Amino acid sequence: MTSLIELDSVGVTIGNNPILDAIDLVVAPGDSVAVIGPNGSGKTTLLRVIATLLRPTSGRVVVMGTDTSEDMGANRGQGNGFITHEPGLLAELTLEENLVHFSRLSGEDPSAVAQALYAVGLENVASRRVSDASFGMKRRAEIAWQLIAKPRLVLLDEARSGLDEGARSLIDSLTVLTVSRGGAVVSVSHELPSQGDEWPQTVLELSNGRLIPR
């Protein structure tokens, strides 16, 4: 079974500051991995490397079968989804218009937008401009986009922080759905997963630039 992520001795140094040190990580289809660590420990840097948004200083990164040292942007936007700290929506468009816009850019069917908005509980505020929407509404819209795009690899950067219980459960549902269809999820947070969570299957701690099992 081909792994979706392979990190081999990956290191990242920014300026004179070592952020990641000899990171090894293999994520296979059906895996869900949570990486925990305090603010500033390098969690977002790790996700940016996996998302091919940041070239590592050392080591080898293979994402969905492509060695990123050969082609840094080969998989960018192709079969992977990234939910970051701040929602990545266009402020001047409505929630619905954002999803239609992303669908057209990505070659997805815009007719799926209405159902996705309903699935995340935004059907009654779909016409609200993003600049006037709450953080929770924006996050729900991002989850709706993942439901439309159906990425094989989902990266979550503190995606549950600041959300009400309903929105947090949507993140859980997205994880379960992705894993159940043979995809994988890597999430980072400063908090341990709740005891009642069915996921993740693996919890790692990022400490002093290295990943260690919990």
Side-chain angles (χ1 to χ4, degrees):
M1 183 180 296
T2 303
S3 299
L4 294 181
I5 301 170
E6 296 179 30
L7 305 185
D8 183 12
S9 297
V10 167
V12 173
T13 298
I14 300 177
N16 294 320
N17 300 315
I19 308 299
L20 303 179
D21 178 25
I23 295 286
D24 293 321
L25 177 66
V26 175
V27 179
D31 283 351
S32 175
V33 178
V35 177
I36 63 168
N39 293 335
S41 60
K43 302 186 301 298
T44 295
T45 298
L46 176 62
L47 285 191
R48 284 175 56 80
V49 168
I50 295 172
T52 69
L53 297 174
L54 177 65
R55 189 181 296 277
T57 308
S58 59
R60 181 168 173 264
V61 179
V62 179
V63 180
M64 291 190 287
T66 298
D67 189 331
T68 63
S69 64
E70 299 174 1
D71 189 349
M72 186 71 172
N75 291 317
R76 199 170 299 160
Q78 301 297 316
N80 60 78
F82 193 1
I83 296 182
T84 61
H85 288 283
E86 292 298 324
L89 302 172
L90 301 174
E92 68 273 17
L93 301 181
T94 68
L95 297 169
E96 181 177 20
E97 287 169 344
N98 266 273
L99 297 185
V100 170
H101 174 69
F102 294 149
S103 296
R104 288 172 176 162
L105 282 180
S106 304
E108 302 291 343
D109 186 355
S111 67
V113 168
Q115 183 176 355
L117 287 167
Y118 179 80
V120 299
L122 291 179
E123 69 276 14
N124 293 326
V125 292
S127 61
R128 182 166 301 187
R129 197 176 300 275
V130 166
S131 57
D132 298 325
S134 68
F135 179 83
M137 290 176 186
K138 297 173 189 177
R139 184 61 87 216
R140 285 172 184 260
E142 288 194 309
I143 297 169
W145 169 240
Q146 304 304 319
L147 296 177
I148 294 169
K150 299 182 179 66
R152 291 188 66 203
L153 176 61
V154 174
L155 307 176
L156 304 173
D157 190 352
E158 300 282 4
R160 292 157 56 100
S161 295
L163 300 180
D164 59 37
E165 190 57 39
R168 288 167 69 95
S169 68
L170 288 173
I171 292 287
D172 295 346
S173 297
L174 172 63
T175 298
V176 172
L177 180 62
T178 301
V179 168
S180 68
R181 59 177 176 237
V185 177
V186 178
S187 62
V188 303
S189 176
H190 62 279
E191 298 177 325
L192 274 169
S194 300
Q195 288 295 110
D197 289 346
E198 296 181 6
W199 65 279
Q201 299 163 335
T202 303
V203 180
L204 304 171
E205 183 175 359
L206 187 55
S207 178
N208 296 318
R210 291 181 173 247
L211 283 177
I212 57 176
R214 283 285 300 194

